[in-house]
Amino acid sequence: MGSVGLLYVGAVLFVNALMLLGRVEERSAALLNLFVGTLQVVLPTLLLVAAGDDLKAITAAAGVYLFGFTYLYVGIGLLAGLDTTGVGWFSLFVSLSAIGFAAINFLDVRDHPFGVIWLCWSFLWFLFFLVLGLKREELAPYTGWVTLVQAGGTTTLPAFLLLTDTYSTSAAFAVALAACAVVSFGALWFVAGPGRAQSRTSSEPAPGT
């Protein structure tokens, strides 16, 4: 069930990335956030019911709730026209919690690639905190592009690897993921970081010139 939920997280991150980049209208993005948020609350609840005293299963379900509540929070907020500071500061909580889940994957579960993925999610939700909680709107383009990359690299790709039984927990795969993440996020900073979009816009000739 986790791989199915992960696939649809990729879908909602894809749409939210396009929303941050101004390609998708906010209220239309709200519906998918509600759909996926509901899925990400129902699935871990089912896992908890079936987990019994299985601590690893309980821990896995606890992590999924962080994102389910985020998407529900975003969806309701967009439809109701709420201020974004609440979901922004909740994103900081998610970001810090994700570091803990990364440590669990590295040290306890021994799933090194997902340890890297949790760190990527921590970085992304910290960006959400900056944009939504602290109103650092100049970071919205960069955050949008990072969200788009993570929609593919940290959710859709591992979901398909899990669904096709080709996922590997090896350290080599984790190192490859980490390297791709660092290079991608660094390159995007130079392309879409603060001031980059404005400088490109100001350098373009005015219509009719």
Side-chain angles (χ1 to χ4, degrees), residues 139-158:
L139 291 171
Y142 177 70
T143 303
W145 284 109
V146 171
T147 305
L148 192 62
V149 169
Q150 294 216 30
T154 67
T155 55
T156 305
L157 174 61

Side-chain angles (χ1 to χ4, degrees), residues 52-85:
D53 296 327
D54 187 346
L55 184 58
K56 289 186 177 180
I58 294 172
T59 302
V64 178
Y65 278 123
L66 291 172
F67 305 113
F69 290 144
T70 298
Y71 303 132
L72 288 176
Y73 206 154
V74 169
I76 293 171
L78 291 175
L79 288 178
L82 302 178
D83 179 78
T84 62
T85 50

Side-chain angles (χ1 to χ4, degrees), residues 48-126:
L48 282 177
V49 171
D53 296 327
D54 187 346
L55 184 58
K56 289 186 177 180
I58 294 172
T59 302
V64 178
Y65 278 123
L66 291 172
F67 305 113
F69 290 144
T70 298
Y71 303 132
L72 288 176
Y73 206 154
V74 169
I76 293 171
L78 291 175
L79 288 178
L82 302 178
D83 179 78
T84 62
T85 50
V87 70
W89 282 92
F90 177 69
S91 295
L92 177 61
F93 175 83
V94 174
S95 177
L96 296 174
S97 299
I99 296 174
F101 282 102
I104 291 171
N105 277 271
F106 283 127
L107 304 175
D108 185 25
V109 182
R110 301 291 180 178
D111 187 340
H112 299 99
F114 254 96
V116 173
I117 288 171
W118 273 103
L119 290 178
C120 289
W121 290 340
S122 176
F123 175 61
L124 179 59
W125 260 253
F126 184 73

Side-chain angles (χ1 to χ4, degrees), residues 3 6 114 117 152-163 167 173:
S3 56
L6 196 60
F114 254 96
I117 288 171
T154 67
T155 55
T156 305
L157 174 61
F160 275 110
L161 291 177
L162 288 166
L163 288 169
Y167 176 79
F173 184 35

Side-chain angles (χ1 to χ4, degrees), residues 30-53:
L31 294 179
L32 185 59
N33 277 273
L34 293 176
F35 294 152
V36 177
T38 300
L39 179 69
Q40 293 293 92
V41 169
V42 171
L43 285 182
T45 300
L46 295 176
L47 290 173
L48 282 177
V49 171
D53 296 327

Side-chain angles (χ1 to χ4, degrees), residues 177-199:
L177 277 176
C180 289
V182 170
V183 171
S184 298
F185 302 156
L188 286 173
W189 181 260
F190 289 101
V191 174
R196 303 293 177 175
Q198 292 89 333
S199 63

